Amino acid sequence: MGGIESILLKGTIDTLIMVVISLVISYLAGVPLGVLLLISKPSGLHSRKVLYQVLSRVINILRSLPFIILLTILIPFTRFIVGTSIGIVGMIVPLSIAAIPFVARMVEQSLSEVEPELISSMKVIGASTYQIIYKVYLPEALPSLIRGVGITAIALIGYSAMAGATGGGGLGDIAIRYGYYNYRMDIMIYTVIILIILVELIQGITNYVSKKTNHI
Amino acid sequence: MIRFNQVSKQYRNDDGVFYALHDVTFQVEEGEIFGIIGMSGAGKTTILKIITGLEVPDSGSVMIGKYHLSTLCSKQWMEYRKSIGVIHQGYHLLMQRTVFQNIAFPLEINHVSKEETQRRVMELLEIVGLVEKAHQYPATLSGGQKQRVAIARALATNPKVLLCDEPTSALDLVTSKGIVSLLQLIRDRFGVSIVLISHELGIIRSLASQVMILDQGKICEVGKTSDVFSNPISLVGKHLLGRG
Ligand SMILES: Nc1ncnc2c1ncn2[C@@H]1O[C@H](COP(=O)(O)OP(=O)(O)OP(=O)(O)O)[C@@H](O)[C@H]1O
Ligand SMILES: [Mg+2]
């Protein structure tokens, strides 16, 4: 049994590494993009029609591509960036690129829950656009943004499991290789249980933190 | 202090364009409380939006203190906005900041030092009577207390003009009285000019030295509150004030 345990442990760690790194990258890019969407839209603080339309379209296209297709299309690009298109390193690029537009939309959505009247009265107080973003939008939407982190992380776990089918590493890879090809039903079941636990944990933690930071 | 000269503002609706304000001229003196009444849609909030720069008039001129609004560059707007304080009908507080941090917001925007902010916010909390609520969040406050936070925040930068849009409409009678005496105290203590929009005639009568009645964007009458209230000339005035 020692073999199975270490295989599952390594798979879990690999999955977590993929998810955490992709999560960080997608937020580093997704938050500014979400803010840009928010302020450039027709009712935004700095309406820029063309920019908004282009950005919005590109994001929609990326979001409508099935992950497995995106993964395949990106293989040359992934090789170029990280030198390989397989393993956990090879998965970080497509996972991040799949998550960035997702995060951008979610950030836009969270921030637009802040009431427009509140924003205009902050403008009247004299806040600049920069100050409104950092001191009003982001802090006021923080609980909602944190829930979004949970949703993104869970989506990434799903994608990363799917990536296992293409030699991506992590729990998905183990489920396919041992569980499916080698008829190890036990390993298949264990990976599924671990995935369920991960999802529950992420959901629980982010909900908790979101509640703790919310003063409404 | 405030001078509106033949100010007009048009909006577009389904039937075309209409005047939200039409040829509006009035003056508010320093340290005066100026009441504005009128039916819903009369253009009261539009006047406030023009003073705050959220809307730009189509014609006419607006002077607030030394600022000629149509000529301000963005840096002057920043400076001008420090000289006005606004109390909105819906409080507009930051829900994820404490009472203290809400009142400190305008100071933070203007890069006031920590020590000075601390001193000023405590002073304002004292004035509005919320010292013991300093570190609570707005969600835990009553409507009247939220309005007091909004008033304290509006006063933070020592404005010359305080604009109040229906400051008591969401409050019960007793709480409203408290807000009214607070506004009175602010006027007496700081000599600010106050523009007070309210549909509660009692409040206008007890606070405002001048009152203006608006109807469909036009001024029906403007004058000393006691005169207008005891002897309204216009039909709308008579109707609103319940005379004839
Ligand atoms: N952005 C806008 N676009 C089009 N019409 C507008 C806009 N803002 C206000 N209006 C219209 O202008 C008129 C005056 O509005 P305003 O908000 O000044 O009324 P008010 O006197 O403050 O009314 P209330 O007592 O209901 O607050 C109304 O008919 C309103 O519908
Ligand atoms: Mg109004």
PDB file of all heavy atoms in Angstrom, chain A residues 117-118 121-127 131 135-136 139-140 143 213-216, chain B residues 52 54 78 81 86 88 92-96 105-106 108-109 137 139 153:
ATOM      1  N   GLU A 117     -23.718  55.262  -7.443  1.00  0.00           N
ATOM      2  CA  GLU A 117     -23.910  56.518  -6.699  1.00  0.00           C
ATOM      3  C   GLU A 117     -22.788  56.708  -5.675  1.00  0.00           C
ATOM      4  O   GLU A 117     -22.341  57.827  -5.429  1.00  0.00           O
ATOM      5  CB  GLU A 117     -25.245  56.542  -5.955  1.00  0.00           C
ATOM      6  CG  GLU A 117     -26.468  56.578  -6.845  1.00  0.00           C
ATOM      7  CD  GLU A 117     -26.845  55.211  -7.375  1.00  0.00           C
ATOM      8  OE1 GLU A 117     -26.405  54.199  -6.782  1.00  0.00           O
ATOM      9  OE2 GLU A 117     -27.558  55.141  -8.395  1.00  0.00           O
ATOM     10  N   LEU A 118     -22.365  55.605  -5.085  1.00  0.00           N
ATOM     11  CA  LEU A 118     -21.260  55.681  -4.125  1.00  0.00           C
ATOM     12  C   LEU A 118     -20.004  56.168  -4.840  1.00  0.00           C
ATOM     13  O   LEU A 118     -19.297  57.049  -4.346  1.00  0.00           O
ATOM     14  CB  LEU A 118     -21.012  54.298  -3.499  1.00  0.00           C
ATOM     15  CG  LEU A 118     -19.852  54.220  -2.515  1.00  0.00           C
ATOM     16  CD1 LEU A 118     -20.154  54.997  -1.259  1.00  0.00           C
ATOM     17  CD2 LEU A 118     -19.524  52.774  -2.174  1.00  0.00           C
ATOM     18  N   SER A 121     -20.197  59.842  -5.607  1.00  0.00           N
ATOM     19  CA  SER A 121     -19.997  60.731  -4.458  1.00  0.00           C
ATOM     20  C   SER A 121     -18.535  60.720  -4.000  1.00  0.00           C
ATOM     21  O   SER A 121     -18.054  61.709  -3.464  1.00  0.00           O
ATOM     22  CB  SER A 121     -20.960  60.409  -3.314  1.00  0.00           C
ATOM     23  OG  SER A 121     -20.709  59.139  -2.799  1.00  0.00           O
ATOM     24  N   MET A 122     -17.826  59.626  -4.250  1.00  0.00           N
ATOM     25  CA  MET A 122     -16.388  59.608  -3.938  1.00  0.00           C
ATOM     26  C   MET A 122     -15.632  60.532  -4.898  1.00  0.00           C
ATOM     27  O   MET A 122     -14.651  61.166  -4.527  1.00  0.00           O
ATOM     28  CB  MET A 122     -15.833  58.184  -4.040  1.00  0.00           C
ATOM     29  CG  MET A 122     -16.398  57.223  -3.018  1.00  0.00           C
ATOM     30  SD  MET A 122     -16.037  57.731  -1.327  1.00  0.00           S
ATOM     31  CE  MET A 122     -17.664  57.798  -0.659  1.00  0.00           C
ATOM     32  N   LYS A 123     -16.128  60.595  -6.133  1.00  0.00           N
ATOM     33  CA  LYS A 123     -15.541  61.517  -7.104  1.00  0.00           C
ATOM     34  C   LYS A 123     -15.734  62.952  -6.632  1.00  0.00           C
ATOM     35  O   LYS A 123     -14.830  63.776  -6.728  1.00  0.00           O
ATOM     36  CB  LYS A 123     -16.233  61.316  -8.467  1.00  0.00           C
ATOM     37  CG  LYS A 123     -15.259  60.972  -9.535  1.00  0.00           C
ATOM     38  CD  LYS A 123     -15.808  60.481 -10.837  1.00  0.00           C
ATOM     39  CE  LYS A 123     -17.016  61.096 -11.440  1.00  0.00           C
ATOM     40  NZ  LYS A 123     -17.424  60.379 -12.679  1.00  0.00           N
ATOM     41  N   VAL A 124     -16.921  63.221  -6.114  1.00  0.00           N
ATOM     42  CA  VAL A 124     -17.207  64.572  -5.637  1.00  0.00           C
ATOM     43  C   VAL A 124     -16.321  64.920  -4.435  1.00  0.00           C
ATOM     44  O   VAL A 124     -15.901  66.061  -4.275  1.00  0.00           O
ATOM     45  CB  VAL A 124     -18.708  64.714  -5.276  1.00  0.00           C
ATOM     46  CG1 VAL A 124     -18.962  66.008  -4.540  1.00  0.00           C
ATOM     47  CG2 VAL A 124     -19.552  64.638  -6.536  1.00  0.00           C
ATOM     48  N   ILE A 125     -16.012  63.933  -3.618  1.00  0.00           N
ATOM     49  CA  ILE A 125     -15.107  64.182  -2.492  1.00  0.00           C
ATOM     50  C   ILE A 125     -13.711  64.539  -3.011  1.00  0.00           C
ATOM     51  O   ILE A 125     -12.924  65.160  -2.319  1.00  0.00           O
ATOM     52  CB  ILE A 125     -15.080  62.954  -1.544  1.00  0.00           C
ATOM     53  CG1 ILE A 125     -16.381  62.889  -0.743  1.00  0.00           C
ATOM     54  CG2 ILE A 125     -13.888  63.000  -0.599  1.00  0.00           C
ATOM     55  CD1 ILE A 125     -16.532  61.670   0.124  1.00  0.00           C
ATOM     56  N   GLY A 126     -13.429  64.172  -4.243  1.00  0.00           N
ATOM     57  CA  GLY A 126     -12.160  64.561  -4.847  1.00  0.00           C
ATOM     58  C   GLY A 126     -11.240  63.399  -5.168  1.00  0.00           C
ATOM     59  O   GLY A 126     -10.084  63.604  -5.538  1.00  0.00           O
ATOM     60  N   ALA A 127     -11.739  62.168  -5.019  1.00  0.00           N
ATOM     61  CA  ALA A 127     -10.890  61.007  -5.282  1.00  0.00           C
ATOM     62  C   ALA A 127     -10.581  60.885  -6.774  1.00  0.00           C
ATOM     63  O   ALA A 127     -11.466  61.067  -7.607  1.00  0.00           O
ATOM     64  CB  ALA A 127     -11.571  59.738  -4.783  1.00  0.00           C
ATOM     65  N   GLN A 131      -7.396  56.457  -7.005  1.00  0.00           N
ATOM     66  CA  GLN A 131      -7.838  56.337  -5.603  1.00  0.00           C
ATOM     67  C   GLN A 131      -9.176  55.620  -5.505  1.00  0.00           C
ATOM     68  O   GLN A 131      -9.400  54.845  -4.578  1.00  0.00           O
ATOM     69  CB  GLN A 131      -7.937  57.732  -4.969  1.00  0.00           C
ATOM     70  CG  GLN A 131      -6.582  58.340  -4.675  1.00  0.00           C
ATOM     71  CD  GLN A 131      -6.679  59.804  -4.289  1.00  0.00           C
ATOM     72  OE1 GLN A 131      -7.530  60.546  -4.808  1.00  0.00           O
ATOM     73  NE2 GLN A 131      -5.808  60.243  -3.402  1.00  0.00           N
ATOM     74  N   LYS A 135      -9.034  52.556  -3.238  1.00  0.00           N
ATOM     75  CA  LYS A 135      -9.619  52.830  -1.924  1.00  0.00           C
ATOM     76  C   LYS A 135     -11.120  52.573  -1.864  1.00  0.00           C
ATOM     77  O   LYS A 135     -11.705  52.555  -0.787  1.00  0.00           O
ATOM     78  CB  LYS A 135      -9.332  54.288  -1.519  1.00  0.00           C
ATOM     79  CG  LYS A 135      -7.871  54.556  -1.242  1.00  0.00           C
ATOM     80  CD  LYS A 135      -7.660  56.036  -0.952  1.00  0.00           C
ATOM     81  CE  LYS A 135      -6.196  56.365  -0.781  1.00  0.00           C
ATOM     82  NZ  LYS A 135      -5.622  55.813   0.452  1.00  0.00           N
ATOM     83  N   VAL A 136     -11.746  52.453  -3.020  1.00  0.00           N
ATOM     84  CA  VAL A 136     -13.199  52.235  -2.990  1.00  0.00           C
ATOM     85  C   VAL A 136     -13.572  50.885  -3.619  1.00  0.00           C
ATOM     86  O   VAL A 136     -14.021  49.979  -2.933  1.00  0.00           O
ATOM     87  CB  VAL A 136     -13.958  53.386  -3.684  1.00  0.00           C
ATOM     88  CG1 VAL A 136     -15.464  53.160  -3.557  1.00  0.00           C
ATOM     89  CG2 VAL A 136     -13.579  54.726  -3.061  1.00  0.00           C
ATOM     90  N   PRO A 139     -11.448  47.528  -2.056  1.00  0.00           N
ATOM     91  CA  PRO A 139     -11.805  47.177  -0.665  1.00  0.00           C
ATOM     92  C   PRO A 139     -13.297  46.891  -0.476  1.00  0.00           C
ATOM     93  O   PRO A 139     -13.648  45.974   0.249  1.00  0.00           O
ATOM     94  CB  PRO A 139     -11.407  48.413   0.145  1.00  0.00           C
ATOM     95  CG  PRO A 139     -10.607  49.279  -0.740  1.00  0.00           C
ATOM     96  CD  PRO A 139     -10.836  48.870  -2.137  1.00  0.00           C
ATOM     97  N   GLU A 140     -14.154  47.661  -1.152  1.00  0.00           N
ATOM     98  CA  GLU A 140     -15.590  47.448  -0.967  1.00  0.00           C
ATOM     99  C   GLU A 140     -16.017  46.091  -1.542  1.00  0.00           C
ATOM    100  O   GLU A 140     -16.954  45.480  -1.067  1.00  0.00           O
ATOM    101  CB  GLU A 140     -16.402  48.566  -1.630  1.00  0.00           C
ATOM    102  CG  GLU A 140     -16.359  49.893  -0.891  1.00  0.00           C
ATOM    103  CD  GLU A 140     -16.997  49.838   0.491  1.00  0.00           C
ATOM    104  OE1 GLU A 140     -18.198  49.572   0.581  1.00  0.00           O
ATOM    105  OE2 GLU A 140     -16.273  50.060   1.478  1.00  0.00           O
ATOM    106  N   PRO A 143     -14.897  41.062  -0.128  1.00  0.00           N
ATOM    107  CA  PRO A 143     -15.527  39.768   0.183  1.00  0.00           C
ATOM    108  C   PRO A 143     -15.966  39.013  -1.078  1.00  0.00           C
ATOM    109  O   PRO A 143     -15.775  37.803  -1.178  1.00  0.00           O
ATOM    110  CB  PRO A 143     -16.741  40.161   1.027  1.00  0.00           C
ATOM    111  CG  PRO A 143     -16.395  41.498   1.597  1.00  0.00           C
ATOM    112  CD  PRO A 143     -15.571  42.182   0.555  1.00  0.00           C
ATOM    113  N   THR A 213     -14.043  39.029   6.269  1.00  0.00           N
ATOM    114  CA  THR A 213     -13.645  40.354   5.786  1.00  0.00           C
ATOM    115  C   THR A 213     -14.853  41.227   5.466  1.00  0.00           C
ATOM    116  O   THR A 213     -14.706  42.390   5.129  1.00  0.00           O
ATOM    117  CB  THR A 213     -12.783  40.260   4.516  1.00  0.00           C
ATOM    118  OG1 THR A 213     -13.524  39.527   3.536  1.00  0.00           O
ATOM    119  CG2 THR A 213     -11.460  39.575   4.772  1.00  0.00           C
ATOM    120  N   ASN A 214     -16.052  40.636   5.547  1.00  0.00           N
ATOM    121  CA  ASN A 214     -17.224  41.393   5.174  1.00  0.00           C
ATOM    122  C   ASN A 214     -17.866  42.053   6.394  1.00  0.00           C
ATOM    123  O   ASN A 214     -18.193  41.384   7.361  1.00  0.00           O
ATOM    124  CB  ASN A 214     -18.240  40.474   4.485  1.00  0.00           C
ATOM    125  CG  ASN A 214     -19.292  41.266   3.747  1.00  0.00           C
ATOM    126  OD1 ASN A 214     -19.321  42.492   3.825  1.00  0.00           O
ATOM    127  ND2 ASN A 214     -20.144  40.573   3.033  1.00  0.00           N
ATOM    128  N   HIS A 215     -18.052  43.369   6.316  1.00  0.00           N
ATOM    129  CA  HIS A 215     -18.598  44.080   7.465  1.00  0.00           C
ATOM    130  C   HIS A 215     -20.041  44.547   7.234  1.00  0.00           C
ATOM    131  O   HIS A 215     -20.540  45.403   7.941  1.00  0.00           O
ATOM    132  CB  HIS A 215     -17.702  45.263   7.822  1.00  0.00           C
ATOM    133  CG  HIS A 215     -16.302  44.816   8.136  1.00  0.00           C
ATOM    134  ND1 HIS A 215     -16.003  44.124   9.293  1.00  0.00           N
ATOM    135  CD2 HIS A 215     -15.160  44.909   7.435  1.00  0.00           C
ATOM    136  CE1 HIS A 215     -14.706  43.839   9.291  1.00  0.00           C
ATOM    137  NE2 HIS A 215     -14.178  44.311   8.177  1.00  0.00           N
ATOM    138  N   ILE A 216     -20.651  44.005   6.214  1.00  0.00           N
ATOM    139  CA  ILE A 216     -22.048  44.376   5.972  1.00  0.00           C
ATOM    140  C   ILE A 216     -22.959  43.433   6.743  1.00  0.00           C
ATOM    141  O   ILE A 216     -22.795  42.234   6.696  1.00  0.00           O
ATOM    142  CB  ILE A 216     -22.372  44.323   4.459  1.00  0.00           C
ATOM    143  CG1 ILE A 216     -21.541  45.372   3.738  1.00  0.00           C
ATOM    144  CG2 ILE A 216     -23.865  44.574   4.231  1.00  0.00           C
ATOM    145  CD1 ILE A 216     -21.760  45.397   2.246  1.00  0.00           C
TER     146      ILE A 216
ATOM    147  N   THR B  52     -21.734  70.239  -7.711  1.00  0.00           N
ATOM    148  CA  THR B  52     -20.647  69.288  -7.460  1.00  0.00           C
ATOM    149  C   THR B  52     -19.864  68.943  -8.721  1.00  0.00           C
ATOM    150  O   THR B  52     -18.862  68.238  -8.649  1.00  0.00           O
ATOM    151  CB  THR B  52     -21.177  67.976  -6.864  1.00  0.00           C
ATOM    152  OG1 THR B  52     -22.160  67.425  -7.749  1.00  0.00           O
ATOM    153  CG2 THR B  52     -21.798  68.189  -5.506  1.00  0.00           C
ATOM    154  N   LEU B  54     -20.918  67.097 -11.194  1.00  0.00           N
ATOM    155  CA  LEU B  54     -21.301  65.825 -11.815  1.00  0.00           C
ATOM    156  C   LEU B  54     -22.079  66.057 -13.106  1.00  0.00           C
ATOM    157  O   LEU B  54     -22.138  65.207 -13.974  1.00  0.00           O
ATOM    158  CB  LEU B  54     -22.145  64.981 -10.848  1.00  0.00           C
ATOM    159  CG  LEU B  54     -21.388  64.357  -9.677  1.00  0.00           C
ATOM    160  CD1 LEU B  54     -22.353  63.637  -8.740  1.00  0.00           C
ATOM    161  CD2 LEU B  54     -20.316  63.394 -10.164  1.00  0.00           C
ATOM    162  N   MET B  78     -10.115  69.699  -8.102  1.00  0.00           N
ATOM    163  CA  MET B  78      -9.712  69.014  -6.875  1.00  0.00           C
ATOM    164  C   MET B  78      -9.749  69.976  -5.692  1.00  0.00           C
ATOM    165  O   MET B  78     -10.250  69.659  -4.622  1.00  0.00           O
ATOM    166  CB  MET B  78      -8.290  68.460  -7.004  1.00  0.00           C
ATOM    167  CG  MET B  78      -8.178  67.278  -7.914  1.00  0.00           C
ATOM    168  SD  MET B  78      -9.158  65.894  -7.299  1.00  0.00           S
ATOM    169  CE  MET B  78      -8.265  64.540  -7.990  1.00  0.00           C
ATOM    170  N   ARG B  81     -13.298  71.049  -4.879  1.00  0.00           N
ATOM    171  CA  ARG B  81     -14.095  70.013  -4.215  1.00  0.00           C
ATOM    172  C   ARG B  81     -13.804  69.912  -2.723  1.00  0.00           C
ATOM    173  O   ARG B  81     -14.633  69.432  -1.959  1.00  0.00           O
ATOM    174  CB  ARG B  81     -13.893  68.671  -4.923  1.00  0.00           C
ATOM    175  CG  ARG B  81     -14.742  68.621  -6.168  1.00  0.00           C
ATOM    176  CD  ARG B  81     -14.598  67.392  -6.975  1.00  0.00           C
ATOM    177  NE  ARG B  81     -15.698  67.315  -7.936  1.00  0.00           N
ATOM    178  CZ  ARG B  81     -15.647  66.669  -9.078  1.00  0.00           C
ATOM    179  NH1 ARG B  81     -14.554  66.013  -9.406  1.00  0.00           N
ATOM    180  NH2 ARG B  81     -16.694  66.643  -9.878  1.00  0.00           N
ATOM    181  N   VAL B  86     -20.828  67.352   0.720  1.00  0.00           N
ATOM    182  CA  VAL B  86     -22.134  66.917   0.226  1.00  0.00           C
ATOM    183  C   VAL B  86     -22.704  65.814   1.105  1.00  0.00           C
ATOM    184  O   VAL B  86     -21.996  64.888   1.498  1.00  0.00           O
ATOM    185  CB  VAL B  86     -22.036  66.384  -1.226  1.00  0.00           C
ATOM    186  CG1 VAL B  86     -23.438  66.204  -1.795  1.00  0.00           C
ATOM    187  CG2 VAL B  86     -21.230  67.319  -2.085  1.00  0.00           C
ATOM    188  N   HIS B  88     -25.609  63.128   0.792  1.00  0.00           N
ATOM    189  CA  HIS B  88     -26.560  62.548  -0.153  1.00  0.00           C
ATOM    190  C   HIS B  88     -27.684  61.863   0.589  1.00  0.00           C
ATOM    191  O   HIS B  88     -27.546  61.457   1.733  1.00  0.00           O
ATOM    192  CB  HIS B  88     -25.855  61.520  -1.038  1.00  0.00           C
ATOM    193  CG  HIS B  88     -24.704  62.076  -1.787  1.00  0.00           C
ATOM    194  ND1 HIS B  88     -24.825  62.672  -3.005  1.00  0.00           N
ATOM    195  CD2 HIS B  88     -23.394  62.150  -1.463  1.00  0.00           C
ATOM    196  CE1 HIS B  88     -23.650  63.076  -3.411  1.00  0.00           C
ATOM    197  NE2 HIS B  88     -22.753  62.775  -2.490  1.00  0.00           N
ATOM    198  N   HIS B  92     -24.247  57.005   1.297  1.00  0.00           N
ATOM    199  CA  HIS B  92     -23.051  56.724   0.506  1.00  0.00           C
ATOM    200  C   HIS B  92     -21.807  56.527   1.370  1.00  0.00           C
ATOM    201  O   HIS B  92     -20.766  57.144   1.140  1.00  0.00           O
ATOM    202  CB  HIS B  92     -22.793  57.834  -0.512  1.00  0.00           C
ATOM    203  CG  HIS B  92     -23.890  57.933  -1.528  1.00  0.00           C
ATOM    204  ND1 HIS B  92     -23.867  58.798  -2.569  1.00  0.00           N
ATOM    205  CD2 HIS B  92     -25.050  57.260  -1.655  1.00  0.00           C
ATOM    206  CE1 HIS B  92     -24.969  58.670  -3.280  1.00  0.00           C
ATOM    207  NE2 HIS B  92     -25.707  57.733  -2.740  1.00  0.00           N
ATOM    208  N   LEU B  93     -21.921  55.672   2.347  1.00  0.00           N
ATOM    209  CA  LEU B  93     -20.755  55.355   3.177  1.00  0.00           C
ATOM    210  C   LEU B  93     -20.044  54.128   2.620  1.00  0.00           C
ATOM    211  O   LEU B  93     -20.643  53.305   1.932  1.00  0.00           O
ATOM    212  CB  LEU B  93     -21.202  55.070   4.616  1.00  0.00           C
ATOM    213  CG  LEU B  93     -21.932  56.205   5.318  1.00  0.00           C
ATOM    214  CD1 LEU B  93     -22.366  55.767   6.709  1.00  0.00           C
ATOM    215  CD2 LEU B  93     -21.054  57.448   5.403  1.00  0.00           C
ATOM    216  N   LEU B  94     -18.755  54.027   2.940  1.00  0.00           N
ATOM    217  CA  LEU B  94     -17.993  52.841   2.556  1.00  0.00           C
ATOM    218  C   LEU B  94     -18.247  51.769   3.614  1.00  0.00           C
ATOM    219  O   LEU B  94     -17.904  51.951   4.777  1.00  0.00           O
ATOM    220  CB  LEU B  94     -16.502  53.180   2.459  1.00  0.00           C
ATOM    221  CG  LEU B  94     -16.178  54.213   1.374  1.00  0.00           C
ATOM    222  CD1 LEU B  94     -14.774  54.770   1.539  1.00  0.00           C
ATOM    223  CD2 LEU B  94     -16.341  53.596  -0.005  1.00  0.00           C
ATOM    224  N   MET B  95     -18.862  50.691   3.194  1.00  0.00           N
ATOM    225  CA  MET B  95     -19.332  49.699   4.160  1.00  0.00           C
ATOM    226  C   MET B  95     -18.208  48.858   4.751  1.00  0.00           C
ATOM    227  O   MET B  95     -18.365  48.233   5.787  1.00  0.00           O
ATOM    228  CB  MET B  95     -20.373  48.781   3.513  1.00  0.00           C
ATOM    229  CG  MET B  95     -21.595  49.512   2.995  1.00  0.00           C
ATOM    230  SD  MET B  95     -22.359  50.569   4.236  1.00  0.00           S
ATOM    231  CE  MET B  95     -23.335  49.358   5.123  1.00  0.00           C
ATOM    232  N   GLN B  96     -17.078  48.806   4.070  1.00  0.00           N
ATOM    233  CA  GLN B  96     -15.966  47.997   4.568  1.00  0.00           C
ATOM    234  C   GLN B  96     -14.949  48.839   5.337  1.00  0.00           C
ATOM    235  O   GLN B  96     -13.836  48.394   5.611  1.00  0.00           O
ATOM    236  CB  GLN B  96     -15.268  47.246   3.417  1.00  0.00           C
ATOM    237  CG  GLN B  96     -16.191  46.466   2.506  1.00  0.00           C
ATOM    238  CD  GLN B  96     -16.933  45.341   3.212  1.00  0.00           C
ATOM    239  OE1 GLN B  96     -16.681  45.022   4.373  1.00  0.00           O
ATOM    240  NE2 GLN B  96     -17.874  44.726   2.515  1.00  0.00           N
ATOM    241  N   PHE B 105     -11.736  59.529   5.145  1.00  0.00           N
ATOM    242  CA  PHE B 105     -11.532  59.341   3.706  1.00  0.00           C
ATOM    243  C   PHE B 105     -11.154  60.616   2.934  1.00  0.00           C
ATOM    244  O   PHE B 105     -10.155  60.621   2.206  1.00  0.00           O
ATOM    245  CB  PHE B 105     -12.765  58.664   3.082  1.00  0.00           C
ATOM    246  CG  PHE B 105     -12.597  58.305   1.639  1.00  0.00           C
ATOM    247  CD1 PHE B 105     -11.886  57.165   1.264  1.00  0.00           C
ATOM    248  CD2 PHE B 105     -13.119  59.110   0.631  1.00  0.00           C
ATOM    249  CE1 PHE B 105     -11.716  56.843  -0.072  1.00  0.00           C
ATOM    250  CE2 PHE B 105     -12.950  58.788  -0.702  1.00  0.00           C
ATOM    251  CZ  PHE B 105     -12.256  57.649  -1.054  1.00  0.00           C
ATOM    252  N   PRO B 106     -11.907  61.709   3.088  1.00  0.00           N
ATOM    253  CA  PRO B 106     -11.542  62.913   2.332  1.00  0.00           C
ATOM    254  C   PRO B 106     -10.146  63.427   2.702  1.00  0.00           C
ATOM    255  O   PRO B 106      -9.458  64.006   1.864  1.00  0.00           O
ATOM    256  CB  PRO B 106     -12.603  63.945   2.749  1.00  0.00           C
ATOM    257  CG  PRO B 106     -13.711  63.158   3.336  1.00  0.00           C
ATOM    258  CD  PRO B 106     -13.121  61.922   3.904  1.00  0.00           C
ATOM    259  N   GLU B 108      -7.623  61.491   3.703  1.00  0.00           N
ATOM    260  CA  GLU B 108      -6.700  60.543   3.068  1.00  0.00           C
ATOM    261  C   GLU B 108      -6.484  60.913   1.596  1.00  0.00           C
ATOM    262  O   GLU B 108      -5.354  60.938   1.106  1.00  0.00           O
ATOM    263  CB  GLU B 108      -7.373  59.181   3.146  1.00  0.00           C
ATOM    264  CG  GLU B 108      -6.462  57.998   3.285  1.00  0.00           C
ATOM    265  CD  GLU B 108      -7.310  56.748   3.451  1.00  0.00           C
ATOM    266  OE1 GLU B 108      -8.080  56.671   4.436  1.00  0.00           O
ATOM    267  OE2 GLU B 108      -7.214  55.868   2.577  1.00  0.00           O
ATOM    268  N   ILE B 109      -7.596  61.212   0.927  1.00  0.00           N
ATOM    269  CA  ILE B 109      -7.545  61.626  -0.480  1.00  0.00           C
ATOM    270  C   ILE B 109      -6.650  62.835  -0.660  1.00  0.00           C
ATOM    271  O   ILE B 109      -5.961  62.976  -1.657  1.00  0.00           O
ATOM    272  CB  ILE B 109      -8.985  61.970  -0.960  1.00  0.00           C
ATOM    273  CG1 ILE B 109      -9.860  60.721  -1.003  1.00  0.00           C
ATOM    274  CG2 ILE B 109      -8.990  62.677  -2.295  1.00  0.00           C
ATOM    275  CD1 ILE B 109      -9.371  59.677  -1.938  1.00  0.00           C
ATOM    276  N   TYR B 137     -18.521  49.487  12.221  1.00  0.00           N
ATOM    277  CA  TYR B 137     -18.766  49.578  10.784  1.00  0.00           C
ATOM    278  C   TYR B 137     -20.172  50.134  10.536  1.00  0.00           C
ATOM    279  O   TYR B 137     -21.074  49.934  11.361  1.00  0.00           O
ATOM    280  CB  TYR B 137     -18.600  48.195  10.143  1.00  0.00           C
ATOM    281  CG  TYR B 137     -17.157  47.787  10.082  1.00  0.00           C
ATOM    282  CD1 TYR B 137     -16.555  47.107  11.138  1.00  0.00           C
ATOM    283  CD2 TYR B 137     -16.376  48.133   8.984  1.00  0.00           C
ATOM    284  CE1 TYR B 137     -15.215  46.766  11.096  1.00  0.00           C
ATOM    285  CE2 TYR B 137     -15.036  47.795   8.928  1.00  0.00           C
ATOM    286  CZ  TYR B 137     -14.450  47.113   9.994  1.00  0.00           C
ATOM    287  OH  TYR B 137     -13.128  46.792   9.943  1.00  0.00           O
ATOM    288  N   ALA B 139     -22.644  49.266   8.863  1.00  0.00           N
ATOM    289  CA  ALA B 139     -23.771  48.332   8.886  1.00  0.00           C
ATOM    290  C   ALA B 139     -24.369  48.183  10.284  1.00  0.00           C
ATOM    291  O   ALA B 139     -25.519  47.782  10.425  1.00  0.00           O
ATOM    292  CB  ALA B 139     -23.329  46.976   8.355  1.00  0.00           C
ATOM    293  N   ARG B 153     -18.210  63.406   7.605  1.00  0.00           N
ATOM    294  CA  ARG B 153     -17.320  63.247   6.456  1.00  0.00           C
ATOM    295  C   ARG B 153     -17.378  64.473   5.553  1.00  0.00           C
ATOM    296  O   ARG B 153     -16.355  64.937   5.050  1.00  0.00           O
ATOM    297  CB  ARG B 153     -17.698  61.990   5.667  1.00  0.00           C
ATOM    298  CG  ARG B 153     -16.808  61.761   4.469  1.00  0.00           C
ATOM    299  CD  ARG B 153     -17.200  60.521   3.709  1.00  0.00           C
ATOM    300  NE  ARG B 153     -18.543  60.645   3.144  1.00  0.00           N
ATOM    301  CZ  ARG B 153     -19.176  59.669   2.505  1.00  0.00           C
ATOM    302  NH1 ARG B 153     -18.590  58.497   2.368  1.00  0.00           N
ATOM    303  NH2 ARG B 153     -20.383  59.856   2.023  1.00  0.00           N
TER     304      ARG B 153
END
